[in-house]
Amino acid sequence: MSISKQYLKTKPVCKVTFTFAGHQYPQAQSVALAGDFNNWDPQAVLMKKTKTGDFTASLNLDKEKQYQFRYVVDGATWLNDDEADAYVPTQVSYDQNSVVQL
């Protein structure tokens, strides 16, 4: 799993590319990205499967903010990103959410 950030010079946003490594969950048929940027809707951002078996999605997010997120595998399993900038406790369980800081 990884997160890459590309800050845009002409706009106050950052293009963030989220990558879910397919080898970490080889049976995954679909992966979605849910977070506070999409009201935690597990169907709002469906990630695209690459030829290598990884799943990717890119979003333009406002700079100078932080966003909590998790990956949703096959609509049921919620996972964190191993390379997130930070982790914070969730409001709904004993789990933690991944954080990307821009």
Side-chain angles (χ1 to χ4, degrees):
M1 296 183 217
S2 69
I3 302 167
S4 63
K5 304 170 189 174
Q6 179 183 3
Y7 291 90
L8 305 179
K9 294 181 181 180
T10 59
K11 297 179 182 176
V13 297
C14 178
K15 181 179 179 181
V16 183
T17 301
F18 298 87
T19 302
F20 180 88
H23 71 274
Q24 291 189 305
Y25 214 95
Q27 67 271 32
Q29 297 297 309
S30 67
V31 179
L33 184 63
D36 49 17
F37 44 77
N38 64 10
N39 205 24
W40 293 97
D41 182 349
Q43 299 190 10
V45 180
L46 298 177
M47 300 179 79
K48 189 174 189 176
K49 191 169 188 176
T50 66
K51 292 180 182 179
T52 63
D54 294 342
F55 293 83
T56 65
S58 295
L59 300 173
N60 288 333
L61 300 174
D62 291 336
K63 292 181 187 178
E64 308 298 325
K65 290 188 177 185
Q66 66 178 17
Y67 298 90
Q68 296 181 34
F69 72 96
R70 295 186 86 187
Y71 298 107
V72 185
V73 179
D74 295 333
T77 304
W78 292 68
L79 300 172
N80 281 322
D81 192 309
D82 295 339
E83 297 181 23
D85 296 328
Y87 302 94
V88 296
T90 71
Q91 302 282 333
V92 296
S93 72
Y94 293 108
D95 292 327
Q96 292 188 327
N97 290 332
S98 300
V99 175
V100 60
Q101 296 176 341
L102 305 177

